[in-house]
Amino acid sequence: MLTKLLIGGEWRAGSSAMPVLDPATGETIAEVAAGTPADALEACDAAAEAQKSWAATAPRVRAEVLRACWQNLVDHADELAELITREHGKPLADAKGEVAYAAEFFRWNSEEAVRLHGSISTAPGGANKIIVQHPPVGVVLVVTPWNFPAAMITRKVAPALAAGNAVVIKPAEDTPLTALRVAELLQQAGVPDGVINVVPTADAASWFEAAVDHHAVRMVSFTGSTETGRKLLRRSADRVLKVGMELGGNAPFIVFDDADIDAAVEGAMVAKMRHSAQTCTAANRFFVQARVADEFTTKLSAAMAAIKVGNGFAEGVDCGPMINAAAVSKIDGLVQAATAGGATSALGGSAVDGPGFFYQPTVLADVTAGSAITGTEIFGPVAPVISFTDTDDMIANANDTEMGLAAYVYTSDIGRGLAVSERLESGMVGLNRGAMSDPAAPFGGMKQSGLGREGASEGIYEFCETQYIAADW
Ligand code: ADP
């Protein structure tokens, strides 16, 4: 297992170490070098130096390197998946899905690297031409969460590199092992020294505080909580940095009474439970039309009851551990407050005894819109069901949150589905679908769920400047 810092193409020991735990057992599985603010600054120096020649390579050259990165990640998919399950805990099948998704950002962006189009037009007055092109921003700080140890990195790094940037990555404290191995695989695939640097740390705030002031840093690309995102935004403002922010969610999952209820339950299980229920697009509130609320709740409870909770490596396990003990107590606090406030527990409702950090798949019925559990990102296997009769009221409740990342709508009337989708203040909507993430689609949120989009054709432009040349000849 790689445990050193990657700075300027060299693997370096750190001055101190931090433990990485297996959340399924609570045991320490590795000690990883803990980077200091000085290490972060050295990584920024290395990135600044490497970025110049990387930006000067032909787009086709960068595209070929990115394509080789995709291939190398795919070739090592099983090994990477095991590493993800080891430090994150998600079931191996989910980890394999994550690796395929993570790798795909390199293939997609290898194709985008040669299609970074600008434009040329004649100025309305006719005196000159307006030439617009998109140079890279420069050095990008990449700060990522633990819930997708590989994909949250590649979703940023692939477009950043395609556009000609260099990156300094600070992976989440809980999952640095995957980040280091991914970086090594990218290095082997031909990414030049210094273009990718990885500096894990046990003190994220001091690390960021130092790096954000480095003269060459021009952008902060962050995925994580809205609370931390706000802090990083404030600090980035001091240097007027470009930002990409993928923040929290509070997804409504809406089921109309004309929906195919079995399909809705199947979609609900995907939207709620994949990656051990710890995704920012996870269905957080189920709004179900009154006529089918009992049927949906009963069928959802049956599907949730069939979920096997356990170590992500064990055969047949569908839901692994939560990331740590604090996550379990937060989830339990929300569930206890909801039941104390009148919700009824149709299934589950408590933590599972250790070792490891597990929570029972839980379904809560009779939940009221506007309660703590519907206003908080649960990040755990808990499905609160709210019955509705009036569509306008339901949409008002679904939109009654500062978050706007993902939403789901199930109905057999596609016209109604599209009309309701348009009224949802959400960057992404799954219409009769429980999953929506795709490197070819723009991922991102409205409102306090974020700024900018990752993936699709717009993804690469987030990592670019716009330069306009008024030309006369
Ligand atoms: P989560 O709740 O998903 O752990 P966080 O927003 O706390 O979300 O963490 C996401 C990432 O942000 C992690 O890499 C974490 O280390 C980092 N982070 C947390 N606080 C800060 C901070 N003050 N400055 C920079 N990075 C931070």
Side-chain angles (χ1 to χ4, degrees):
M1 254 184 282
L2 284 166
T3 57
K4 294 184 174 173
L5 313 173
L6 176 60
I7 299 177
E10 265 177 53
W11 292 90
R12 294 200 204 162
S15 52
S16 64
M18 59 186 199
V20 181
L21 306 188
D22 176 348
T25 62
E27 283 165 13
T28 300
I29 48 174
E31 295 277 344
V32 167
T36 61
D39 294 323
L41 289 173
E42 272 195 61
C44 292
D45 286 340
E49 187 54 36
Q51 194 263 332
K52 294 181 205 128
S53 44
W54 178 244
T57 56
R60 178 63 73 200
V61 172
R62 294 201 297 275
E64 296 293 347
V65 171
L66 264 67
R67 177 90 187 181
C69 290
W70 166 73
Q71 188 67 57
N72 210 27
L73 293 174
V74 168
D75 289 347
H76 293 84
D78 288 348
E79 176 212 323
L80 275 176
E82 280 180 27
L83 201 50
I84 290 172
T85 296
R86 177 72 57 213
E87 64 178 348
H88 173 284
K90 67 178 72 176
L92 206 48
D94 278 341
K96 284 183 182 163
E98 179 183 343
V99 176
Y101 176 58
E104 194 58 33
F105 284 99
F106 280 95
R107 181 159 64 168
W108 174 263
N109 283 288
S110 75
E111 293 155 355
E112 293 302 287
V114 289
R115 292 181 178 78
L116 193 53
H117 300 305
S119 66
I120 179 164
S121 58
T122 301
N128 61 284
K129 296 290 179 190
I130 294 172
I131 301 172
V132 179
Q133 54 184 5
H134 298 286
V137 288
V139 173
V140 182
L141 298 183
V142 170
V143 180
T144 54
W146 48 263
N147 63 338
F148 288 86
M152 293 303 98
I153 290 177
T154 60
R155 199 163 75 186
K156 299 170 182 309
V157 171
L161 265 55
N165 300 284
V167 298
V168 178
I169 303 167
K170 193 212 81 58
E173 295 84 337
D174 292 307
T175 57
L177 297 170
T178 306
L180 294 168
R181 181 63 177 139
V182 165
E184 187 184 45
L185 292 170
L186 303 181
Q187 211 180 12
Q188 287 169 359
V191 175
D193 289 350
V195 171
I196 296 178
N197 304 275
V198 188
V199 184
T201 181
D203 181 358
S206 306
W207 185 109
F208 185 78
E209 204 42 48
V212 77
D213 280 335
H214 189 282
H215 66 92
V217 168
R218 295 300 334 152
M219 178 168 174
V220 173
S221 182
F222 172 74
T223 297
S225 62
T226 298
E227 192 188 345
T228 302
R230 267 191 218 105
K231 284 187 204 158
L232 270 53
L233 267 173
R234 276 192 205 106
R235 203 50 190 83
S236 301
D238 292 340
R239 294 203 51 241
V240 195
L241 298 180
K242 230 170 135 68
V243 293
M245 293 276 148
E246 296 293 347
L247 309 178
N250 182 4
F253 189 105
I254 298 160
V255 183
F256 284 100
D257 60 9
D258 62 356
D260 173 338
I261 299 301
D262 292 331
V265 169
E266 201 180 308
M269 292 303 289
V270 173
K272 178 79 249 178
M273 293 304 296
R274 74 195 178 102
H275 304 279
S276 305
Q278 298 171 108
T279 70
C280 49
T281 53
N284 210 53
R285 304 168 286 158
F286 292 80
F287 292 97
V288 185
Q289 208 159 16
R291 198 172 64 80
V292 294
D294 283 349
E295 180 189 356
F296 178 84
T297 307
T298 304
K299 288 182 168 172
L300 181 66
S301 300
M304 290 283 270
I307 287 276
K308 190 170 164 196
V309 175
N311 190 311
F313 284 110
E315 195 61 32
V317 162
D318 316 285
C319 182
M322 303 298 101
I323 192 68
N324 51 37
V328 172
S329 55
K330 177 194 147 189
I331 296 163
D332 198 47
L334 287 169
V335 169
Q336 301 320 324
T339 46
T344 48
S345 173
L347 180 78
S350 56
V352 178
D353 288 341
F357 314 119
F358 295 94
Y359 204 84
Q360 291 177 335
T362 297
V363 178
L364 300 175
D366 309 315
V367 174
T368 32
S371 57
I373 199 160
T374 65
T376 312
E377 192 171 21
I378 303 167
F379 243 65
V382 179
V385 180
I386 304 149
S387 160
F388 75 90
T389 45
D390 184 87
T391 300
D392 289 339
D393 285 350
M394 179 276 293
I395 290 175
N397 283 327
N399 287 335
D400 183 21
T401 162
E402 283 306 325
M403 301 302 153
L405 187 62
Y408 304 86
V409 180
Y410 271 78
T411 171
S412 58
D413 177 347
I414 203 73
R416 161 147 85 172
L418 288 168
V420 169
S421 297
E422 286 186 348
R423 291 177 65 189
L424 293 171
E425 296 162 356
S426 176
M428 300 178 284
V429 181
L431 178 51
N432 294 326
R433 296 258 322 146
M436 73 245 310
S437 298
D438 189 323
F443 188 103
M446 295 181 179
K447 295 156 83 178
Q448 294 194 28
S449 284
L451 293 170
R453 293 294 181 271
E454 293 182 342
S457 47
E458 42 267 71
I460 191 168
Y461 290 97
E462 299 276 341
F463 293 91
C464 294
E465 280 290 358
T466 294
Q467 185 185 44
Y468 143 60
I469 302 171
D472 197 5
W473 57 81

